[in-house]
Amino acid sequence: LSHLLLVLLWLFIITLLRWSWHLNLTWLWLGGLIGTFLLDIDHLIYFLVVNPHELTSQRVKRLLDQKRFKEALFLMAETRLERPKLALHNALFQIILITLAFFVLTSTNNLFGAGLVMGLALHLLKDEFQDLINDEEYLSTWLFWQFKFEVSLEGQKIYLVVMTLIFIILNLFLI
């Protein structure tokens, strides 16, 4: 729910700053909404492909088989701290995503693609700030797990500030 509210707020602000409503902005909204939830596929990949024998994975699979999707989503949300090493939830993916977002925003007029990559980026930023506020140690565990060196709390904060500034700059291409 918090991801949905944040992306709706972001889309509303971008729409207001454009000073005009055109039907093609629907594509931006659709891309942003899909993008913010697309990142959650990472958890499903973990459950169904990477680690299907884990107890939580079996519970989620059973709920999905029974078409109890809402309960499966709640279980995935409740147990997210059990999965710190996801393919799409880390700094390396975020850097690649920001590069891709820059390309999409500067090279095409595709509002769906722009909304999609920006929705993904916003989702990651929201998760990073949430963990920085709630559990600084866990942020380092999932964000920088691919790196051989440890990133200090100060380094994590600098990284988040830089990523936030880049996100804001990329938004200027949408206005």
Side-chain angles (χ1 to χ4, degrees):
L1 184 62
S2 62
H3 286 107
L4 177 63
L5 293 176
L6 183 61
V7 78
L8 288 173
L9 176 65
W10 168 73
L11 288 165
F12 182 73
I13 290 169
I14 291 296
T15 302
L16 281 179
L17 292 175
R18 287 179 69 108
W19 292 106
S20 64
W21 171 259
H22 298 287
L23 193 55
N24 64 349
L25 281 180
T26 306
W27 292 109
L28 178 70
W29 282 69
L30 184 61
L33 290 169
I34 291 173
T36 198
F37 293 110
L38 191 61
L39 213 52
D40 291 328
I41 288 177
D42 205 12
H43 294 279
L44 284 175
I45 291 169
Y46 179 87
F47 287 132
L48 302 176
V49 178
V50 175
N51 218 340
H53 295 69
E54 204 173 74
L55 178 61
T56 305
S57 300
Q58 292 175 358
R59 290 174 58 202
V60 167
K61 187 172 180 346
R62 186 173 44 252
L63 289 171
L64 292 175
D65 288 343
Q66 297 170 351
K67 298 188 185 337
R68 294 165 51 190
F69 302 114
K70 188 175 179 181
E71 291 175 52
L73 286 173
F74 282 125
L75 180 59
M76 285 190 281
E78 287 174 2
T79 61
R80 80 174 186 87
L81 298 178
E82 296 175 6
R83 298 175 297 283
K85 295 182 178 180
L86 297 172
L88 305 180
H89 286 79
N90 59 67
L92 184 59
F93 174 77
Q94 187 174 27
I95 292 167
I96 293 168
L97 176 64
I98 291 296
T99 305
L100 178 63
F102 178 77
F103 171 75
V104 169
L105 292 168
T106 59
S107 302
T108 69
N109 289 326
N110 187 331
L111 288 177
F112 178 79
L116 188 75
V117 294
M118 294 302 281
L120 287 165
L122 186 60
H123 179 126
L124 276 174
L125 279 174
K126 186 251 178 221
D127 286 350
E128 290 165 357
F129 276 103
Q130 179 180 345
D131 285 341
L132 180 66
I133 293 166
N134 296 333
D135 190 355
E136 298 165 352
E137 224 174 88
Y138 185 69
L139 175 64
S140 181
T141 303
W142 70 264
L143 187 58
F144 300 105
W145 69 268
Q146 294 176 323
F147 299 107
K148 299 284 185 213
F149 54 88
E150 191 171 322
V151 179
S152 68
L153 178 59
E154 189 67 28
Q156 293 174 44
K157 289 178 181 179
I158 291 169
Y159 177 83
L160 286 179
V161 166
V162 169
M163 285 296 135
T164 302
L165 289 174
I166 292 172
F167 180 79
I168 291 168
I169 291 167
L170 289 175
N171 277 286
L172 296 176
F173 292 105
L174 288 172
I175 299 173

